[in-house]
Amino acid sequence: MPSRQVNAGKIAEDSITPKSVDFGKWYLEIVAKAELADYGPVRGTMVIRPYGYALWEGLQKHLDHEFKETGHENAYFPQLIPYSFIAKEAAHVEGFAPELALVTMGGGKELEEPLVVRPTSETMVNHMFAQWVRSYRDLPLLLNQWCNVHRWEMRTRPFVRTLEFLWQEGHTAHSTAVEAEEEAIRMINIYQDFARNICAMPVIAGRKSRIESFAGANCTYTIEAMMGDRKALQAGTSHNLGTNFAKAFETRFLDEKGELQFVHQTSWGMSTRMIGGIIMSHGDDKGLRLPPNIAPIQVVIVPIIKKDTDRESVMAAVAGLAAAGKAAGIRVKVDASDRQSMGWKFNFWEMKGVPVRIEVGPKDVEAGTCVLARRDRPGKEGKQFGVPLDGPTWVCAVRTALAEVQEVLLREAEAFQESSIVDVTSYEELKAAIAEGKWARGGWAADDAAEARVKEETQATLRCFPFSQPAGPHVCLMTGLPATEVALFARSY
């Protein structure tokens, strides 16, 4: 079938800065033009628009299912936390003090004690756990909450780092250290699976260094994602809190021997930052490219009507496809508006990253077919002509295309990641790799001071010690001494 000629509809305001020219500007323009978010009136805040919130709802749906499948229940804890709670855990208050937002007035009067606007909920949760847990029979306690948090960030970017953001935070209490460690690993694995199989992001899971661990945790596990500018994004974390918060809040239980023990705890979270990660992992110079498994709209159907006499037949065919798609569980939208040209619509839905576009015109109806265009492949290469309008056959073709788009985005991200990680054996090699904008991977057994030196001199941080370690033996890139594992260093958001 010959290619359909359509006015490109390319107008100046639809173009965006190429990401190779200015990645930061490219990102901000996509957030705005794809109608994901806008700036709030308070510096550092954002308004999440419906399309951006639909992405968040998709994340919620997938993760909430996984949490409940692993025995967790949703709850909600107050947003206002007494400052004395934060101060109870020394490392916690030290780590969060610069980011706290305080309420000192209420009802026109000065409060007796300042209230912290929730930066995270470990302290509030422990206050309640101490009241709820009495016996080993009360354990494990497996809770999650969906909420907002506030952290007074100085340099902000929509979705990636804002004064207020949405997240989920899991909080669990266990009778043994072994159970808590198993829980912390289980949850980071759930995040890794979600990032890879739903968001097509090949994250690297591993353990944070002591310096980079959560304030108050014995150990932090992370998933690190490589963005399109090769900076790292911490996309999700899981913390083994040990008994640190339990001791601060006297969260204890009677074990089977009738002896008092402190509970062992975990906390873990993923936030709207993940939306920023999806944008920066897959977007191109035409806008978003959304993995079908997370896309709010998987298929947009655009009827092409040039004459009123064609409207009835074309719209009947479009309605049939939309009904078949929705019945099959495909997220379908019909764009039958007549306010813009076809070319404008095509550009608009490309900007919003819809994985598959279906075009139906009068000649297609006569032939009993339609045109399928894939977002991951530009131009004619991504178009499939002659796709039957028959419901079941069309659904099969769409499902195949969606699966292929999902796979292509993952494989492209994997190839980009693999080509951007450099194995190094010395500090000079690390500095050279970081200077080129790449990630450096090498043996590490140096102390905290050496890690701080790397950050100061290169602006790169130790992202993690990956769970998947290359075969040894390894030598520390900084000291030249034997090392038991390799670490990843990169500049980050």
Side-chain angles (χ1 to χ4, degrees):
M1 182 176 178
S3 173
R4 177 184 285 117
Q5 297 298 314
V6 178
N7 176 12
K10 193 73 172 177
I11 54 179
E13 61 259 37
D14 285 336
S15 62
I16 57 175
T17 301
K19 64 179 184 178
S20 60
V21 172
D22 188 330
F23 192 86
K25 189 175 181 181
W26 166 85
Y27 174 81
L28 294 176
E29 289 177 357
I30 286 185
V31 169
K33 295 189 176 185
E35 301 178 338
L36 297 173
D38 207 341
Y39 292 101
V42 176
R43 185 201 64 80
T45 63
M46 68 173 175
V47 176
I48 304 177
R49 300 185 67 177
Y51 196 57
Y53 199 83
L55 276 170
W56 178 242
E57 288 177 319
L59 181 149
Q60 283 183 306
K61 177 183 177 182
H62 287 286
L63 287 182
D64 202 62
H65 173 77
E66 292 301 316
F67 298 160
K68 289 172 179 173
E69 284 293 301
T70 47
H72 302 85
E73 297 178 293
N74 285 330
Y76 186 79
F77 295 85
Q79 184 179 22
L80 296 177
I81 303 171
Y83 184 82
S84 58
F85 284 18
I86 304 290
K88 280 188 176 183
E89 214 290 324
H92 194 63
V93 69
E94 181 181 355
F96 275 101
E99 299 177 350
L100 298 181
L102 299 178
V103 177
T104 59
M105 298 286 293
K109 298 181 180 179
E110 186 173 349
L111 301 178
E112 292 184 6
E113 178 182 2
L115 301 176
V116 177
V117 184
R118 174 176 51 218
T120 183
S121 297
E122 279 77 8
T123 58
M124 178 61 75
V125 167
N126 264 275
H127 176 76
M128 301 311 301
F129 277 12
Q131 300 176 53
W132 297 342
V133 176
R134 292 288 179 264
S135 162
Y136 69 91
R137 295 184 180 89
D138 299 322
L139 299 172
L141 194 53
L142 309 175
L143 299 184
N144 174 68
Q145 76 166 339
W146 296 93
C147 63
N148 65 338
V149 291
H150 291 75
R151 296 180 186 176
W152 211 264
E153 301 283 359
M154 300 307 295
R155 300 182 64 182
T156 60
R157 180 186 298 252
F159 292 112
V160 175
R161 192 175 295 276
T162 50
L163 187 147
E164 177 191 12
F165 56 91
L166 304 180
W167 77 347
Q168 58 72 211
E169 51 177 321
H171 297 276
T172 69
H174 306 266
S175 58
T176 69
V178 171
E179 286 183 12
E181 177 67 4
E182 289 174 348
E183 170 75 1
I185 295 295
R186 179 184 302 113
M187 302 320 294
I188 204 65
N189 286 340
I190 285 177
Y191 290 154
Q192 182 181 27
D193 180 78
F194 170 76
R196 181 180 182 85
N197 295 320
I198 305 301
C199 301
M201 292 169 60
V203 295
I204 297 175
R207 185 186 81 255
K208 284 285 191 183
S209 68
R210 192 193 67 81
I211 290 178
E212 294 292 326
S213 288
F214 177 73
N218 282 356
C219 180
T220 289
Y221 300 108
T222 181
I223 53 171
E224 298 291 324
M226 181 180 290
M227 301 295 94
D229 59 353
R230 294 189 174 88
K231 284 186 179 179
L233 184 79
Q234 180 179 285
T237 51
S238 180
H239 316 291
N240 184 334
L241 304 176
T243 58
N244 299 329
F245 286 90
K247 289 177 178 177
F249 285 83
E250 288 293 313
T251 312
R252 301 196 291 178
F253 69 99
L254 284 172
D255 65 15
E256 295 182 18
K257 298 178 181 179
E259 298 177 355
L260 272 177
Q261 305 288 350
F262 289 107
V263 298
H264 299 262
Q265 293 177 272
T266 76
S267 64
W268 28 272
M270 181 175 283
S271 74
T272 41
R273 166 176 278 215
M274 193 66 176
I275 297 174
I278 293 169
I279 299 167
M280 292 190 285
S281 292
H282 303 304
D284 63 14
D285 289 346
K286 290 181 177 291
L288 286 174
R289 293 195 307 166
L290 294 179
N293 290 350
I294 195 69
I297 302 169
Q298 294 174 311
V299 178
V300 61
I301 305 176
V302 181
I304 299 175
I305 302 170
K306 296 183 178 179
K307 298 185 296 184
D308 287 342
T309 54
D310 297 327
R311 186 173 302 277
E312 184 177 350
S313 62
V314 170
M315 290 308 299
V318 166
L321 295 182
K326 291 176 181 178
I330 298 170
R331 297 186 287 280
V332 178
K333 180 178 179 61
V334 175
D335 183 355
S337 64
D338 54 10
R339 291 172 295 178
Q340 303 289 351
S341 70
M342 289 302 109
W344 188 96
K345 290 183 182 181
F346 292 172
N347 288 334
F348 178 74
W349 293 112
E350 284 179 351
M351 178 67 71
K352 294 178 83 74
V354 175
V356 168
R357 183 181 73 242
I358 300 295
E359 305 166 17
V360 183
K363 292 184 179 179
D364 299 308
V365 174
E366 289 178 9
T369 63
C370 64
V371 178
L372 184 155
R374 287 170 44 169
R375 178 62 181 86
D376 63 314
R377 294 179 179 172
K380 293 181 181 179
E381 181 189 355
K383 284 199 171 187
Q384 181 180 348
F385 298 94
V387 177
L389 290 175
D390 170 67
T393 307
W394 179 81
V395 166
C396 182
V398 167
R399 280 180 168 162
T400 298
L402 292 173
E404 289 177 354
V405 172
Q406 183 79 23
E407 183 69 13
V408 166
L409 293 181
L410 175 61
R411 297 307 169 209
E412 285 182 357
E414 283 183 325
F416 181 73
Q417 181 192 88
E418 290 171 5
S419 68
S420 302
I421 298 177
V422 178
D423 288 305
V424 299
T425 58
S426 69
Y427 185 39
E428 292 304 314
E429 290 181 358
L430 180 148
K431 288 191 288 186
I434 298 300
E436 291 178 10
K438 297 187 176 183
W439 292 21
R441 178 174 55 200
W444 187 258
D447 58 16
D448 292 352
E451 184 180 338
R453 176 188 170 194
V454 173
K455 182 177 181 178
E456 180 180 352
E457 295 179 356
T458 69
Q459 290 76 56
T461 52
L462 196 163
R463 304 313 302 165
C464 71
F465 296 94
F467 290 152
S468 179
Q469 289 277 325
H474 308 298
V475 175
C476 177
L477 65 90
M478 186 66 83
T479 66
L481 298 174
T484 59
E485 55 191 343
V486 302
L488 276 173
F489 289 84
R491 291 174 180 160
S492 66
Y493 284 99

